[in-house]
Amino acid sequence: MPEKYASAVPGSVSQRIHRAFSELSEGERRIADQVLAAPGELAFLSASELAGQAGVSNATVSRFFQRLGYRNFDAARQEARRLRETGSPLYLSGGAGQGTPAGDPLSAFLQEEAARLEATLRGVPQPLLAEIAQAIAGAGQIRTLGFRNSHFLAQYLTAQLAQIRPGVAPLLMPGQTRAEAIAGLGSRDLAIVIGLRRRPADFLRTVEQIAAQGVPVLLVSDPTVRGAPALARWTLSCHVDTVQFLDSYAAPMTLLRMITLEVARELGAAGRAHLDRVEALRGDLNELE
């Protein structure tokens, strides 16, 4: 099949199967059922293995993927691998209910989380952490930004830093455009951008515009990020990938807590004085139990 057909049919493997399903032969439908039951496994199977699972010939597998618009089986497998790397939930594990380790599930779960935590924290040398903390402590304004699941992490960091220094707030306020928010930043400020995988399509453009204002950027992301680290003054990489369809945010949450503690040490008495004022106001306002 000419190469042009591979780009003429947009969409993931699963989307292409759904669009073509009514026109598939019986053998091709068996292949489709195998792929749709566990899309993530396509990234690791050979054409012969898939043919064996579906009970069809290798030639049928080849025709099936050509019908979907791919040059061959390998092109579809590469697409499945790309979707795994970008964090697509459908392609991160096998079928529903798969991905739970055998044996003691709790012990395996804890071991996996511990491995992600260690890999993340060991990737942050103490001198780098101290440099970042010094910059956060000395910046004029601190503005945080995160989209989708990164949003709640940005909120968490905002709340923690606001307890020990003034001038900390989300970059985007309700009803505000990105242009309005970015225009209020300058070179003495600092933007903390959290961009874990499955970022919105305009993520890089947003970081570009922040950096273009001369604003130092701390980027907290993961190994799949591309382009944005070149615009950031500091980049911290978190390990969030799992064998299940849900990413783990234990490592980035711990990293943000570690950053906050380092900033508190950098601020010293000034940070403690600010926290005392916050606590006194909480008591006056009777805000907490």
Side-chain angles (χ1 to χ4, degrees):
M1 175 172 287
E3 184 174 351
K4 66 179 181 180
Y5 291 130
S7 59
V9 184
S12 68
V13 181
S14 301
Q15 291 171 327
R16 297 187 192 203
I17 290 175
H18 286 301
R19 283 199 294 264
F21 196 83
S22 62
E23 300 176 2
L24 299 179
S25 67
E26 181 180 348
E28 290 170 337
R29 289 192 178 194
R30 289 203 296 271
I31 300 171
D33 289 339
Q34 288 291 326
V35 174
L36 292 176
E41 292 185 2
L42 181 60
F44 308 108
L45 290 173
S46 67
S48 296
E49 288 170 334
L50 179 57
Q53 290 180 0
V56 299
S57 66
N58 284 13
T60 302
V61 170
S62 179
R63 286 195 301 270
F64 170 76
F65 286 104
Q66 288 178 349
R67 184 188 288 273
L68 296 183
Y70 294 101
R71 293 189 305 277
N72 49 40
F73 171 80
D74 284 339
R77 183 167 57 182
Q78 288 300 318
E79 172 69 4
R81 289 175 178 173
R82 183 189 68 79
L83 288 167
R84 280 184 62 86
E85 290 174 357
T86 58
S88 172
L90 280 175
Y91 290 82
L92 285 175
S93 65
Q98 294 186 20
T100 302
D104 180 3
L106 179 58
S107 295
F109 188 86
L110 290 173
Q111 289 172 4
E112 291 174 2
E113 289 290 4
R116 282 185 285 270
L117 276 168
E118 182 175 4
T120 296
L121 299 186
R122 286 191 180 280
V124 185
Q126 180 58 34
L128 175 59
L129 182 62
E131 180 183 334
I132 291 170
Q134 186 176 16
I136 294 174
Q141 302 179 94
I142 301 292
R143 292 294 181 264
T144 62
L145 178 65
F147 300 101
R148 306 187 74 245
N149 284 343
S150 296
H151 178 67
F152 79 84
L153 293 167
Q155 286 183 310
Y156 168 78
L157 183 61
T158 302
Q160 305 317 306
L161 291 177
Q163 296 187 92
I164 56 177
R165 60 149 293 166
V168 181
L171 176 62
L172 290 177
M173 304 302 291
Q176 189 179 33
T177 67
R178 284 176 295 171
E180 293 164 351
I182 294 171
L185 295 177
S187 60
R188 296 184 59 194
D189 303 319
L190 191 149
I192 302 175
V193 180
I194 302 177
L196 299 174
R197 65 186 189 175
R198 309 224 85 194
R199 294 165 286 273
D202 58 358
F203 175 80
L204 179 58
R205 182 62 174 161
T206 301
V207 178
E208 286 176 341
Q209 289 303 310
I210 295 172
Q213 310 307 308
V215 182
V217 175
L218 167 59
L219 175 64
V220 180
S221 192
D222 64 85
T224 67
V225 71
R226 299 291 183 270
L231 304 166
R233 183 166 299 181
W234 311 275
T235 298
L236 301 178
S237 185
C238 300
H239 292 265
V240 299
D241 57 308
T242 73
V243 297
Q244 295 85 25
F245 71 94
L246 296 175
D247 282 352
S248 168
Y249 299 103
M253 185 71 82
T254 302
L255 177 60
L256 296 179
R257 177 173 175 268
M258 189 168 72
I259 290 172
T260 303
L261 292 173
E262 191 68 22
V263 173
R265 280 190 284 270
E266 178 67 29
L267 288 168
R272 178 66 187 183
H274 187 80
L275 179 58
D276 287 342
R277 289 193 296 274
V278 171
E279 286 294 291
L281 283 166
R282 283 171 175 162
D284 293 342
L285 293 169
N286 194 28
E287 287 185 320
L288 304 177
E289 292 182 337

